[in-house]
Amino acid sequence: MKDPTKSTSRQWFKMPHTYVILIFLVFVAAALTYVVPAGEFERAEDQATGKTLVVPNSYHEVDASPVSLVSIPKAIVHGLVDSADVVFFILIIGGTFEIISSTGTIEAITGRVARNFANKGRWVIPIFIMLFSVAGFTMGMSTEVMVFVPIGIAVARALGFDALTGTAMVSLGAASGFTAGILNPFNVGLAQAIAEVPLFSGAWLRIILLLCLITVTSLYIVRYAGKVRSNPEKSLVSELEKEVETKELDLNKLPRMQLKHYLTLAVVIAGFATLIWGVSKKDWWMEELAALFLTMGVVSGFCAGYGPSRIASEFVKGAKAITYGALIIGFARGIMVVLDQGSVIDSLVYGLSTLVGELPGPVQVLGMYLFQNVMNIFITSGTGMAVTTMPIMVPLADLIGVTRQTTVLAFQLGDGFSNMILPTSSALMGSLAVSGIPYQKWVKFFWPLMCMWIVIGAVLMVIAHMIHY
């Protein structure tokens, strides 16, 4: 017999809407501006790196500037304006992939993938994870990974998995590589330059880290994907999957590749090749990438025989479908705007670093690791966190007997792990916006894996300290 008490309690609590959660966090940030003393560090340009770094021991309090209740809506709008490049980039991606998808090219290609891997589809997952990890640990792919998410989802669905599997095998692959940072100039390279250790030295331990992350992540996603393929109702995004009309592909009636499909595929391949070249050689960022994808969409439409009006119609359809997720990034940015306006970010950095210095000797290395993870909540940019925290942590490490290489390791682990769960992370929220997966569903899927990642990181931190890495 059903227990009416349990049924009532379940109905009583309902997970709030994602926008509600983010606005609540903005209010929490505003409350911190009243509780945490306002302060800041002095900053100076470093001649070696050309970056503006924090001057150690320069923290001082400044006049308090708490964010009032009436200022919060303006801060949210400010967050949307600050994130405009990412928001419009996502809208353009949505429109572009809708044009490409409407040509039938993705269905034709993924249908053949499904037939070729019908009995061994799970191997696609570690292959994708390894492929995108390379992009993560070489050119620091993070936010850019969102453009590949639709491809991962199309392949995953063709193999009987769901959108969560497709998103995870792309975004978590890049996140694993980014965190390991073997040759990543944007986190490890910059942190080592600030710490004055040889560039990309100590790579052997980072390779071990990468292998551990790839192995654990692959097993975790494969296990989940297997359950989904056996019983689609076990998908955490089953509601989303039911909305997809063309999810099930008849392997005996696969669409034949036509000239328009080959031309569209050539445009996509050329576009992604240009993307990799532009990011790695020309320092392209959101403006250039958005222009590239807009061009890809228009050219793909013409290759499929579309007229200008049909291209515009498909583009608007795709951008409209992705608006909900795109705006989330701006709302999340409002949290950082409030903390910055209240001048409390540097105070939080100073307080946490002081706390680490007071920990017992054997625990200090784990304290540094925890410190960097906590700071990633407030400074989600890898470069921004490097120039803010490393000048503080390096002198502290020298005093407590922790090697500078271990200090860099603490930074890269703290900078990477939590990027895949923080609502302030543009890499995560962009990928979820493109995939249509609710943030709450992602957290439910990812938090056990994140705990495993954190444990792996803690073990490596202890080992690094023991061997004087």
Side-chain angles (χ1 to χ4, degrees):
M1 184 180 260
K2 230 176 171 183
D3 187 344
T5 306
K6 288 183 180 178
S7 177
T8 305
S9 64
R10 285 175 183 170
Q11 292 174 0
W12 179 81
F13 178 78
K14 185 179 180 181
M15 181 64 73
H17 192 282
T18 303
Y19 280 33
V20 174
I21 294 173
L22 292 174
I23 293 174
F24 172 75
L25 292 176
V26 173
F27 277 95
V28 171
L32 286 176
T33 65
Y34 287 88
V35 177
V36 178
E40 61 183 29
F41 291 99
E42 294 179 8
R43 287 168 167 81
E45 184 176 340
D46 181 70
Q47 298 300 322
T49 64
K51 301 289 184 179
T52 301
L53 306 182
V54 167
V55 177
N57 302 318
S58 66
Y59 175 80
H60 59 279
E61 293 191 2
V62 298
D63 293 337
S65 54
V67 177
S68 65
L69 189 66
V70 295
S71 298
I72 289 178
K74 186 177 178 181
I76 294 174
V77 174
H78 193 169
L80 285 164
V81 173
D82 284 354
S83 306
D85 56 346
V86 180
V87 171
F88 283 105
F89 180 45
I90 291 172
L91 291 174
I92 288 173
I93 288 175
T96 295
F97 275 99
E98 183 63 32
I99 296 171
I100 294 171
S101 178
S102 68
T103 67
T105 304
I106 294 177
E107 181 182 4
I109 295 172
T110 56
R112 281 165 170 72
V113 171
R115 183 177 62 186
N116 294 335
F117 288 91
N119 298 318
K120 47 186 177 181
R122 295 185 189 184
W123 282 105
V124 171
I125 294 172
I127 290 172
F128 264 69
I129 290 173
M130 287 188 286
L131 176 64
F132 283 97
S133 72
V134 173
F137 74 69
T138 53
M139 64 180 189
M141 177 181 283
S142 55
T143 307
E144 306 95 321
V145 77
M146 70 180 77
V147 305
F148 298 95
V149 167
I151 297 174
I153 292 175
V155 172
R157 281 175 169 158
L159 295 173
F161 305 139
D162 61 1
L164 194 52
T165 302
T167 302
M169 66 189 191
V170 172
S171 60
L172 295 184
S176 297
F178 183 90
T179 303
I182 300 171
L183 299 172
N184 185 349
F186 303 106
N187 62 354
V188 171
L190 178 57
Q192 288 184 327
I194 296 171
E196 298 179 341
V197 297
L199 196 63
F200 302 129
S201 57
W204 66 270
L205 187 58
R206 297 197 296 279
I207 292 173
I208 293 174
L209 168 63
L210 178 65
L211 293 175
C212 290
L213 293 179
I214 288 176
T215 301
V216 171
T217 304
S218 297
L219 292 174
Y220 185 83
I221 300 176
V222 165
R223 180 174 177 270
Y224 168 80
K227 291 193 297 183
V228 170
R229 187 155 66 173
S230 299
N231 183 2
E233 291 299 321
K234 290 187 177 181
S235 169
L236 293 176
V237 290
S238 55
E239 300 89 351
L240 177 64
E241 296 306 300
K242 290 174 183 176
E243 296 174 3
V244 181
E245 298 176 358
T246 58
K247 178 189 171 187
E248 297 295 336
L249 296 179
D250 186 345
L251 300 184
N252 297 316
K253 297 181 180 179
L254 295 174
R256 296 181 61 184
M257 288 289 288
Q258 303 173 22
L259 177 61
K260 67 176 183 178
H261 297 147
Y262 286 112
L263 291 175
T264 302
L265 179 61
V267 171
V268 172
I269 293 174
F272 281 117
T274 305
L275 179 149
I276 295 171
W277 171 79
V279 170
S280 60
K281 300 295 184 181
K282 296 296 182 179
D283 295 326
W284 281 7
W285 193 229
M286 290 301 167
E287 185 176 342
E288 294 84 359
L289 296 182
L292 172 64
F293 275 89
L294 184 59
T295 303
M296 283 173 56
V298 173
V299 175
S300 295
F302 283 129
C303 287
Y306 294 169
S309 295
R310 173 71 187 276
I311 293 173
S313 177
E314 295 293 344
F315 182 88
V316 171
K317 180 181 175 183
K320 179 181 177 181
I322 213 167
T323 302
Y324 161 82
L327 293 179
I328 285 177
I329 295 172
F331 275 73
R333 177 65 184 171
I335 300 169
M336 303 309 303
V337 170
V338 168
L339 293 174
D340 185 55
Q341 291 179 347
S343 301
V344 299
I345 293 180
D346 283 1
S347 299
L348 292 168
V349 173
Y350 175 74
L352 289 169
S353 63
T354 302
L355 181 62
V356 170
E358 294 177 354
L359 291 173
V363 186
Q364 285 177 329
V365 68
L366 292 177
M368 295 174 68
Y369 173 51
L370 178 62
F371 164 78
Q372 295 288 5
N373 273 282
V374 172
M375 285 316 306
N376 201 38
I377 299 173
F378 307 103
I379 310 173
T380 53
S381 163
T383 302
M385 191 159 81
V387 300
T388 302
T389 64
M390 288 303 294
I392 301 168
M393 298 310 290
V394 168
L396 177 63
D398 292 343
L399 287 173
I400 63 179
V402 175
T403 67
R404 294 191 175 192
Q405 196 74 271
T406 303
T407 306
V408 173
L409 180 65
F411 157 76
Q412 72 182 81
L413 295 176
D415 176 47
F417 284 156
S418 52
N419 279 340
M420 284 292 101
I421 203 167
L422 293 175
T424 51
S425 168
S426 58
L428 170 62
M429 302 311 289
S431 295
L432 297 185
V434 171
S435 65
I437 297 171
Y439 173 71
Q440 302 93 316
K441 298 289 187 181
W442 175 264
V443 171
K444 185 175 181 180
F445 165 78
F446 179 65
W447 77 263
L449 178 59
M450 182 180 172
C451 292
M452 298 178 202
W453 280 9
I454 290 176
V455 170
I456 291 171
V459 171
L460 286 179
M461 283 298 301
V462 172
I463 292 174
H465 185 55
M466 289 175 62
I467 64 175
H468 300 288
Y469 172 59

